[in-house]
Amino acid sequence: MKYRNELINNQILQSKIKALENELNPHFLFNALNSISELIYLNQKKAEKATLDLSKFLRNAINKESLVSINTEIKMVKTYLEIENIRFDNNIVLNIHPLVKEDSIKIPKFSIQLLVENAIKHGYKGNKLQIDIKIEKEKIEVTNNGKTIERIVFGTGLTNLQERLFLLNVGKLDYKTYKDKMSFIIYLKGK
């Protein structure tokens, strides 16, 4: 009976995590398809590359694993940014500072990507947006030099990430506001 209850609880937990993962995909997909449809008339080579990038991104997105290596997540972020820079005319600049071996840490799929997406959505001011990702053993920090907000209210995406971090028991999400920068931090639990 105890084994059966644990199995049921595990299945419920997995269902919650999958539902949260599925919540993230549609918004990005619609934006990417709109960007590609515009490119078809403007630059067919770029449209073809964007379509291939989107295909690569979606192939990784349907990976059944809820936890991925940082290396895998960074590849997804780079692909995501290539697609987004179609809309933003290459005004989003990504700098990655790995201070630990990327494959030694597992994080929820789309966690860094979501923070980068959030930085673009809420931080972009029409000029170059610098996004820095600093990867340490105990934390991952995503900082941008865009708009700063004194008090953050977690919307769907950030709440989703916070819940996945909790359900998968890997960390917690926080933020810091500086005079000219905004930073979101995933504090990782030691294993």
Side-chain angles (χ1 to χ4, degrees):
M1 187 67 136
K2 181 180 175 185
Y3 174 74
R4 186 170 174 234
N5 285 340
E6 286 178 14
L7 184 62
I8 290 169
N9 286 337
N10 188 35
Q11 288 173 341
I12 291 169
L13 179 65
Q14 291 303 315
S15 294
K16 285 181 181 179
I17 292 168
K18 290 298 173 203
L20 288 168
E21 288 173 1
N22 291 335
E23 189 177 90
L24 298 175
N25 296 329
H27 178 71
F28 161 73
L29 184 57
F30 296 136
N31 284 340
L33 289 172
N34 285 332
S35 294
I36 291 170
S37 73
E38 286 178 33
L39 269 183
I40 289 170
Y41 298 105
L42 301 173
N43 187 329
Q44 290 179 345
K45 283 223 179 279
K46 275 189 175 180
E48 181 180 0
K49 183 186 180 324
T51 303
L52 294 172
D53 285 343
L54 180 59
S55 173
K56 185 166 88 174
F57 184 86
L58 293 174
R59 192 174 308 113
N60 285 327
I62 60 175
N63 170 357
K64 293 189 186 323
E65 299 297 318
S66 294
L67 291 173
V68 297
S69 70
I70 295 231
N71 194 32
T72 299
E73 180 73 6
I74 292 297
K75 286 179 188 173
M76 295 273 289
V77 168
K78 288 177 178 178
T79 302
Y80 165 77
L81 200 59
E82 285 183 34
I83 296 166
E84 283 294 272
N85 262 325
I86 296 166
R87 291 192 309 142
F88 292 97
D89 203 26
N90 292 317
N91 279 322
I92 313 299
V93 179
L94 183 66
N95 302 300
I96 301 168
H97 313 281
L99 301 176
V100 294
K101 188 174 180 248
E102 292 90 348
D103 283 336
S104 65
I105 300 170
K106 300 282 187 191
I107 58 173
K109 180 171 46 176
F110 301 123
S111 50
I112 298 174
Q113 183 270 333
L114 186 132
L115 296 177
V116 169
E117 180 180 355
N118 199 58
I120 295 168
K121 181 178 178 184
H122 299 291
Y124 186 68
K125 298 187 284 191
N127 52 351
K128 290 273 187 213
L129 178 67
Q130 294 279 337
I131 299 175
D132 293 300
I133 300 172
K134 187 176 178 185
I135 302 166
E136 299 180 45
K137 188 174 184 170
E138 70 281 351
K139 70 179 179 176
I140 300 164
E141 189 166 3
V142 179
T143 305
N144 74 81
N145 67 343
K147 295 176 195 168
T148 57
I149 301 167
E150 205 52 44
R151 182 163 157 67
I152 301 291
V153 176
F154 282 20
T156 302
L158 294 175
T159 300
N160 178 306
L161 175 56
Q162 188 174 43
E163 195 166 337
R164 287 186 298 132
L165 287 164
F166 173 76
L167 290 173
L168 292 164
N169 196 30
V170 292
K172 68 176 188 165
L173 181 63
D174 203 356
Y175 69 92
K176 289 183 183 174
T177 302
Y178 303 97
K179 180 181 176 189
D180 59 345
K181 291 184 180 179
M182 194 78 222
S183 187
F184 282 88
I185 306 123
I186 298 172
Y187 290 102
L188 300 165
K189 287 187 175 182
K191 295 286 178 189

